[in-house]
Amino acid sequence: MRLLIIEDDREAAAYLAKAFREAGHAADTALDGLDGYAMAEGGDYDVLVVDRMLPKLDGLSLIRSLREQGLATPVLILSALGQVDDRVKGLRAGGDDYLPKPYAFSELLARAEVLARRRAVAPGTAEATAYRVGELELDRLSHRVSRAGQEILLQPREFRLLEYLMRHAGQVVTRTMLLEHVWDYHFDPQTNVIDVHVSRLRAKVDKGFERPLIHTIRGAGYMVRADEARGA
C-alpha cells in the first residue's frame, strides 16, 4: 500500500510516515494543502490521509478539488473536529472515512488498509492488487510472494522493491525512481543501498531457477521481465 500523508504538523507527519513504513507500506508526506493537492493529483497512491486543518488549502477544499478533477483515490480525514456535523461535512466533501483526533495508530492503519482493499475490488482496479511476471506472483494485500508455487519470504523493504519492479515489469526502473518510491529519498545518498537490496532480492527470487527475472540494465537501472535478457 502506498500512502500520501497531508499533515501540517511536521512531527506528526514524520511519525505517521515512519509508522506506516514500519508496517511494510510506502508513505510520502506533504506539509500544506497546495503541495498535498499537487502530489495527490500527480502520484499513484492507494490511500490519502488528509488533515482537515491545513495551511494554503484546507483539507475539505483539497478533497473537493480532487474529486472535481475525477481523482477517486480513497481519502481518510484526520481532524480534531470530531462532532457529528464535522464528520458529515468531511464525508460530503468527498472523504471516504473520518477519524477524530486523538487516535490510535493501529486503528488508523486498519482503516487505511480497509480503504485500500475496497479500492482493490472496485471495477477496473483489481489488477493493482496483484502482479505476475512469468511464474513469479506478488499479492499486495496478503504480502505474499511465490515463484512456481514456492513461497518466498521477504523483508518489508525487499517486498516494496519487488512490488515496484513488478508494477513496472518490462520497463527500465532507474535508481532515482527506486530512491523516491521505495526509499522515499528525493536525493541520492551516494551509497550502494539499492545494489545491496537488489542482490538480496535476486538471491531469493532467482536462485535455483534456470531463468533470472531480475535484470540489470547497464547504465540505466533494473528491470523485471520473464524473457531472457541479453547483455544483462
Side-chain angles (χ1 to χ4, degrees), residues 152-230:
I152 300 172
L153 300 179
L154 300 179
Q155 296 297 319
R157 185 77 67 181
E158 295 168 344
F159 185 92
R160 288 170 57 184
L161 174 58
L162 182 60
E163 176 190 341
Y164 192 77
L165 289 170
M166 292 182 72
R167 177 183 295 183
H168 298 277
Q171 304 172 22
V172 175
V173 175
T174 67
R175 289 177 56 88
T176 298
M177 292 167 68
L178 292 175
L179 285 169
E180 290 184 352
H181 295 282
V182 178
W183 275 267
D184 300 303
Y185 293 157
H186 296 281
F187 63 95
D188 189 341
Q190 299 297 319
T191 71
N192 65 342
V193 62
I194 294 178
D195 301 323
V196 170
H197 278 78
V198 170
S199 178
R200 291 175 180 170
L201 191 59
R202 275 199 178 108
K204 295 183 178 183
V205 170
D206 287 336
K207 186 176 181 179
F209 292 92
E210 182 180 355
R211 291 189 176 187
L213 296 178
I214 302 174
H215 305 280
T216 298
I217 309 302
R218 292 191 181 94
Y222 303 95
M223 180 187 295
V224 165
R225 64 186 180 203
D227 60 310
E228 291 192 77
R230 296 178 180 177

Side-chain angles (χ1 to χ4, degrees), residues 98-145:
Y98 195 110
L99 185 59
K101 298 179 180 181
Y103 54 82
F105 176 74
S106 57
E107 182 179 4
L108 173 59
L109 175 62
R111 287 173 180 252
E113 290 174 340
V114 166
L115 291 178
R117 286 198 298 271
R118 287 177 183 171
R119 184 190 190 204
V121 299
T125 61
E127 72 278 3
T129 69
Y131 301 103
R132 182 184 180 106
V133 177
E135 56 201 358
L136 179 66
E137 298 179 67
L138 179 148
D139 189 303
R140 297 174 61 197
L141 299 183
S142 65
H143 269 233
R144 291 176 63 89
V145 176

